[in-house]
Amino acid sequence: MLKFENIMAEILIIMGSDSDLKVMSEAAQFLEEIGLPFDLTVVSAHRTPSRMFSFAQEAKKNGYKVIIAGAGGAAHLPGMVASLTELPVIGVPIKSSTMSGTDSLYSIVQMPPGIPVATMAINGAKNAGILAAKIIGISDDSVALKITNFTRSMEKTILDKAENLEKIGYSDYLKSMI
């Protein structure tokens, strides 16, 4: 099992293909921003089923508390992993070329009773990272504080934009955005 840089990661990020990395890196980048260690790798439900079984079944034993699983197309990875572990699984449907990600979304969101997967928006990996951090923050006050600070910074950004818009008017604001 993974353990990069000898850091005890509580979040495992997996994806069905390295072509999903551009999207899934948004979860990794958020977790890096708040200083929460994670492991990230490729685990294909269809091409490496033994690897998937191993990762899912050993995840808790290996110290993980949350799994983020991104997949496109048939998108079986999040659901299959959820069926093999008692850990919470957050599914990220990856936009596909044939159905713009709706196939991935439907595959992940339509889980049978007893096999829940928290499903993000298509390409919603950043929200998956945020949700994973919030789950960890339930039992770790330092992580909860980082989420609170992140939320406050978003609020400040929007309030600053609103103040500027109100000050200079919509026309000049639009021009400043170009």
Side-chain angles (χ1 to χ4, degrees), residues 69 71-80 91-96 98-113 115-123:
H76 290 116
L77 182 63
M80 288 301 299
V92 179
I94 306 293
K95 184 177 181 180
S96 59
T98 54
M99 297 180 71
S100 298
T102 56
D103 51 343
S104 309
L105 175 65
Y106 292 155
S107 179
I108 297 171
V109 80
Q110 294 293 335
M111 295 305 302
I115 312 295
V117 174
T119 308
M120 301 294 103
I122 296 168
N123 288 355

Side-chain angles (χ1 to χ4, degrees), residues 4-157:
F4 296 116
E5 301 176 23
N6 296 321
I7 297 172
M8 184 54 107
E10 296 178 316
I11 299 171
L12 174 61
I13 302 172
I14 56 177
M15 64 202 89
S17 170
D18 65 347
S19 64
D20 302 334
L21 184 57
K22 183 175 180 187
V23 170
M24 297 307 290
S25 69
E26 293 180 16
Q29 289 165 359
F30 174 78
L31 296 171
E32 284 177 341
E33 284 174 28
I34 66 166
L36 198 54
F38 60 90
D39 290 331
L40 185 149
T41 192
V42 175
V43 178
S44 172
H46 300 110
R47 294 174 293 241
T48 61
S50 295
R51 179 175 167 86
M52 180 201 61
F53 270 78
S54 172
F55 268 74
Q57 291 177 330
E58 296 174 14
K60 185 174 181 180
K61 179 182 80 173
N62 285 304
Y64 297 113
K65 294 182 178 173
V66 182
I67 299 172
I68 300 172
H76 290 116
L77 182 63
M80 288 301 299
V81 168
S83 75
L84 295 165
T85 185
E86 63 274 24
L87 297 178
V89 175
I90 302 169
V92 179
I94 306 293
K95 184 177 181 180
S96 59
S97 58
T98 54
M99 297 180 71
S100 298
T102 56
D103 51 343
S104 309
L105 175 65
Y106 292 155
S107 179
I108 297 171
V109 80
Q110 294 293 335
M111 295 305 302
I115 312 295
V117 174
T119 308
M120 301 294 103
I122 296 168
N123 288 355
K126 182 173 184 176
N127 274 350
I130 295 167
L131 180 57
K134 285 184 172 190
I135 292 168
I136 300 298
I138 291 170
S139 60
D140 185 329
D141 290 340
S142 67
V143 174
L145 179 60
K146 291 174 182 182
I147 293 296
T148 298
N149 291 338
F150 168 74
T151 302
R152 287 181 182 152
S153 73
M154 284 192 312
E155 179 182 26
K156 182 181 178 337
T157 298

Side-chain angles (χ1 to χ4, degrees), residues 162-176:
E163 182 181 337
N164 189 34
L165 172 62
E166 293 162 8
K167 179 180 173 185
I168 67 173
Y170 82 91
S171 182
D172 287 339
Y173 191 88
L174 279 173
K175 289 176 190 171
S176 74

